[in-house]
């Protein structure tokens, strides 16, 4: 029997070994694709060092799973190896451009392709090196697909830290189209995922503009009008400070019935109730006179967020107030919501900043709060202004809720899932069956 016949026979036998039986295939793929295993389409599948060389302060970086993030290699590390140790590691894990990296211990399943012109490095045990004989980007994207990620999670072993054995990785199924189709899929997936990242950025930017739009709208509410008079806050409200915790006293997370409002709890025009901590009854007895009531207007007076204002809600009526904030209480002829709106306007905030600039320790004193001026409209006009603001915020909140419903990560997973089922519209059924590509790969391996 000739060598050619023997070789051909061996290829046919190898095909039987590497083609995934129909009843074991993860899902249906196009007729000109085939299911095979990772080992059959790779020159090498190996993990990083099991016995890391002596740590150096400089030299060649030794990277772990945490350095593979968001499809890129992060070289931020404090572990380096010498030239001699690098050469030893290179013999076992000869990292080159277009190799695929996959984290296999700890946070499993992060992947990337080694770029051209990369700085040489070595790997720890938590990262596998795959030298594919197919398109590297195609394989790396497949590693990110929901189906492959599910395979990794199902087959991870270990207790304290789960990991994937190399033999398990080598046996993992891979859907194999023609080489041209691999390239088309990789290009389209990259383009679509880039658009998703752009969309994520736009969503975040939209959320960030909410506050800018809110401030701009508030400023439009206080127009010149004849039905107002300019008064000081002391003319329409009592200004009182909060109280610091007595020395040696602490807050608790358990709800004792005595909430203590810190400056950090005063956000978005209200009190962040979910973040509240509480006073022990014995502590509350010592500072029981420093409380706020529903309808009081608060203003922070110390720290980076000086000038944050809002209205105390009913849920924290009777809560104790931090010394880093003040309350405007017993309002006369002025709605609390109107006063809070005015204090959040650019004009009022500028007055507050001017007051802080001339104060010691960057603190807004109660005396300066009392002297802040306010355009006091009649109650009917105040109600109209507050209603306009509430209508505005209602619409903005609806937009924010709709943005929060947009789960672009689900869309990303859908794209990755469709890509490796041949559902991105790139597959050409007239192209040669992928089994011919697989034969070429196997022939290359037996040379």
């Amino acid at each position: 029997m000739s060598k050619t016949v023997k070789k051909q026979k061996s290829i046919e036998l190898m095909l039987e070994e590497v083609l995934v039986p129909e009843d074991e295939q993860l899902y249906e793929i196009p007729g000109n694709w085939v299911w095979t295993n990772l080992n059959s389409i790779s020159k090498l599948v190996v993990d990083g060092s099991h016995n890391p060389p002596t740590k150096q302060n400089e030299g060649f970086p030794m990277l772990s799973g945490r350095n593979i993030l968001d499809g890129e290699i992060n070289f931020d590390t404090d572990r380096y190896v010498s030239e001699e140790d690098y050469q030893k590691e290179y013999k076992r894990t000869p990292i080159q451009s277009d190799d695929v990296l996959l984290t296999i211990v700890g946070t499993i399943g992060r992947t990337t392709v080694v770029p051209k012109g990369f700085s040489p490095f070595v790997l720890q045990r938590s990262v596998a090196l795959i030298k594919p004989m197919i398109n590297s980007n195609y394989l790396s994207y497949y590693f990110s697909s929901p189906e492959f990620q599910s395979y990794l999670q199902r087959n991870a072993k270990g207790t304290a830290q789960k990991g994937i054995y190399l033999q398990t990785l080598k046996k993992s199924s891979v859907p194999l189209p023609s080489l041209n189709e691999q390239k088309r899929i990789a290009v389209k997936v990259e383009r679509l995922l880039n658009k998703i990242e752009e969309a994520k950025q736009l969503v975040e930017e939209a959320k960030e503009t909410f506050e800018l739009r809110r401030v701009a709208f508030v400023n439009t509410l206080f127009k010149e009008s004849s039905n107002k008079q300019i008064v000081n806050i002391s003319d329409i409200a009592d200004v009182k400070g909060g109280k610091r915790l007595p020395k040696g006293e602490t807050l608790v997370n358990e709800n004792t019935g005595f909430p203590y409002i810190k400056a950090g709890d005063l956000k978005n025009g209200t009190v962040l109730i979910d973040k509240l901590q509480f006073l022990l009854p014995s502590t509350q007895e010592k500072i029981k006179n420093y409380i706020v009531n529903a309808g009081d207007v608060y203003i922070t007076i110390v720290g980076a967020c000086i000038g944050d204002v809002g209205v105390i809600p009913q849920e924290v009526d009777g809560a104790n107030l931090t010394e880093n904030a003040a309350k405007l209480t017993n309002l006369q002829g002025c709605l609390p919501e109107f006063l809070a709106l005015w204090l959040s306007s650019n004009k009022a905030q500028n007055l507050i900043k001017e007051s802080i600039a001339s104060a010691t320790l960057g603190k807004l004193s109660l005396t300066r709060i009392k002297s802040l001026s306010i355009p006091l409209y009649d109650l009917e006009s105040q109600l109209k202004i507050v209603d306009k603001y509430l209508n505005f915020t209602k619409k903005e909140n609806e937009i924010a809720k709709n943005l929060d419903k947009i789960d672009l990560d689900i869309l990303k997973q859908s794209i990755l899932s469709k890509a490796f089922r041949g559902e991105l519209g790139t597959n050409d059924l007239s192209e040669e069956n992928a089994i011919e590509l697989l034969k070429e790969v196997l022939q290359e391996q037996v040379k």
Side-chain angles (χ1 to χ4, degrees), residues 207-226:
K207 290 180 179 179
E208 291 172 2
T209 61
F210 284 167
E211 177 60 17
L212 296 176
R213 292 201 299 273
R214 189 198 70 81
V215 171
F217 184 79
V218 167
N219 292 333
T220 66
L221 295 175
F222 301 99
K223 298 177 180 178
E224 292 298 324
S225 175
S226 58

Side-chain angles (χ1 to χ4, degrees), residues 90 159 167 397:
Y90 186 81
T159 52
Q167 287 305 314
N397 289 336

Side-chain angles (χ1 to χ4, degrees), residues 139-356:
L139 183 61
S140 184
Y141 282 133
Y142 174 66
F143 284 164
S144 297
S145 70
E147 290 76 13
F148 187 81
Q149 291 287 315
S150 178
Y151 172 83
L152 293 178
Q153 296 303 320
R154 290 196 311 271
N155 290 277
K157 305 297 181 183
T159 52
Q161 195 173 46
K162 290 187 176 294
I164 295 291
Y165 292 123
L166 282 182
Q167 287 305 314
T168 302
L169 182 60
K170 290 178 180 179
K171 290 189 296 185
S172 63
S173 297
V174 179
L176 185 68
S178 70
L179 193 56
N180 285 335
E181 174 64 357
Q182 293 172 37
K183 294 176 182 177
R184 290 193 295 265
I185 288 174
V187 169
K188 188 161 187 178
V189 167
E190 180 179 15
R191 179 167 57 83
L192 292 175
L193 295 190
N194 284 340
K195 286 186 177 296
I196 287 178
E197 292 305 312
E198 291 173 5
K200 283 183 178 180
Q201 185 174 347
L202 289 173
V203 168
E204 292 306 312
E205 289 176 356
K207 290 180 179 179
E208 291 172 2
T209 61
F210 284 167
E211 177 60 17
L212 296 176
R213 292 201 299 273
R214 189 198 70 81
V215 171
F217 184 79
V218 167
N219 292 333
T220 66
L221 295 175
F222 301 99
K223 298 177 180 178
E224 292 298 324
S225 175
S226 58
N227 59 347
K228 69 175 182 181
Q229 56 179 320
I230 303 300
V231 299
N232 291 336
I233 286 180
S234 59
D235 297 325
I236 60 168
D238 295 330
V239 180
K240 298 181 179 181
K243 183 70 173 179
R244 73 170 64 231
L245 285 177
K247 189 174 182 180
E249 304 286 350
T250 58
L251 297 172
V252 297
N253 293 321
E254 179 186 359
N255 189 342
T256 63
F258 302 109
Y260 184 82
I261 301 174
K262 305 184 296 297
D265 301 323
L266 301 170
K267 295 287 183 183
N268 304 324
T270 188
V271 178
L272 304 181
I273 297 172
D274 292 342
K275 294 188 176 183
L276 288 178
Q277 290 183 293
F278 298 85
L279 299 166
L280 294 172
S282 58
T283 308
Q284 199 274 340
E285 182 63 26
K286 298 176 183 178
I287 56 174
K288 62 182 179 182
N289 293 326
Y290 297 87
I291 63 171
V292 290
N293 297 113
D296 288 346
V297 175
Y298 70 77
I299 179 168
T300 56
I301 60 175
V302 178
C305 297
I306 292 179
D308 279 357
V309 297
V311 179
I312 299 296
Q314 184 64 47
E315 293 88 335
V316 289
D317 183 71
N320 286 82
L321 181 65
T322 174
E323 79 280 10
N324 294 328
K327 67 174 181 179
L328 314 183
T329 188
N330 298 325
L331 271 60
Q332 302 294 320
C334 184
L335 299 173
E337 295 81 6
F338 176 84
L339 177 56
L341 274 178
W342 164 251
L343 289 173
S344 69
S345 70
N346 280 347
K347 189 169 184 179
Q349 288 290 308
N350 287 336
L351 291 173
I352 290 170
K353 289 177 182 177
E354 290 173 5
S355 298
I356 297 169

Side-chain angles (χ1 to χ4, degrees), residues 18 53 57 65 67 77 83 86 139 169 269 280 299 356 361 393 430 434:
V18 302
N57 292 326
N67 296 102
T77 183
E83 169 76 30
Y86 169 76
L139 183 61
L169 182 60
L280 294 172
I299 179 168
I356 297 169
L361 302 178
T393 55
S430 68

Side-chain angles (χ1 to χ4, degrees), residues 75-92:
F75 285 88
D76 183 17
T77 183
D78 60 355
R79 190 180 190 97
Y80 298 86
V81 301
S82 66
E83 169 76 30
E84 180 181 359
D85 287 329
Y86 169 76
Q87 295 300 335
K88 291 178 181 177
E89 292 295 322
Y90 186 81
K91 289 180 181 179
R92 183 172 177 275

Side-chain angles (χ1 to χ4, degrees), residues 39-92:
N39 196 51
S40 69
I41 54 174
S42 305
K43 293 179 182 177
L44 181 67
V45 179
V46 66
D47 53 6
S49 178
H50 288 233
N51 298 296
T54 304
K55 181 179 177 180
Q56 306 284 326
N57 292 326
E58 58 183 19
F60 295 87
M62 185 168 219
L63 306 183
S64 67
R66 68 180 182 85
N67 296 102
I68 311 303
L69 189 63
D70 297 329
E72 296 183 352
I73 302 173
N74 178 358
F75 285 88
D76 183 17
T77 183
D78 60 355
R79 190 180 190 97
Y80 298 86
V81 301
S82 66
E83 169 76 30
E84 180 181 359
D85 287 329
Y86 169 76
Q87 295 300 335
K88 291 178 181 177
E89 292 295 322
Y90 186 81
K91 289 180 181 179
R92 183 172 177 275

